Amino acid sequence: MIKTRLHDEYGICVVNPAVERLTAANATAFKEEVLALIDQKQDKLVIDLADVTFLDSSGIGAMVGLLKRLGNRGEIVVCSLSSGVQQMFKITRMDRVFSSYSDVNAAIAAIKERV
């Protein structure tokens, strides 16, 4: 379900859910696939939501679950949020939890600054 790209120089993994709607129907599968990456020591993640036009509470819950598993040993940022997804992040106050960037390059640059 997910597409990943690894930036070896800094160990940043870009994850694209590759779905239009991240909902109860697929949020668990998305979460499990990304948890497998975290378990493989991927600790700098950029979640690229460019393809996602709708996100429900299950999608938000999956993102929070990833953050909990990662804990303090890494970072998860999001990028390329559509207006609907951005609105959902604001409504649920996840915009205060996840740093958000305009695109993948901006998200990678931000993580590199903190490495």
Side-chain angles (χ1 to χ4, degrees):
M1 174 182 157
I2 65 172
K3 294 186 271 183
T4 61
R5 254 188 358 235
L6 189 61
H7 289 263
D8 291 327
E9 184 183 350
Y10 291 91
I12 299 168
C13 185
V14 178
V15 177
N16 183 318
V19 294
E20 190 174 317
R21 299 171 59 85
L22 190 56
T23 64
N26 55 18
T28 301
F30 165 73
K31 179 181 171 185
E32 288 174 0
E33 288 185 52
V34 180
L35 286 176
L37 293 172
I38 292 171
D39 290 344
Q40 295 167 15
K41 306 296 184 224
Q42 294 296 328
D43 61 358
K44 294 181 216 57
L45 300 173
V46 173
I47 309 292
D48 178 9
L49 297 172
D51 296 336
V52 179
T53 59
F54 180 79
L55 180 78
D56 71 1
S57 60
S58 297
I60 293 284
M63 302 277 290
V64 171
L66 299 175
L67 200 56
K68 284 183 178 179
R69 173 70 67 90
L70 193 56
N72 292 330
R73 60 188 172 95
E75 181 174 14
I76 298 176
V77 301
V78 295
C79 68
S80 308
L81 278 60
S82 69
S83 60
V85 171
Q86 195 168 28
Q87 186 66 23
M88 185 60 148
F89 267 73
K90 285 181 182 169
I91 290 169
T92 59
R93 298 186 184 222
M94 288 296 108
D95 59 334
R96 297 178 182 184
V97 176
F98 292 95
S99 296
S100 177
Y101 299 92
S102 58
D103 58 35
V104 171
N105 292 332
I108 291 170
I111 291 176
K112 284 181 182 179
E113 284 179 13
R114 293 189 284 271
V115 172

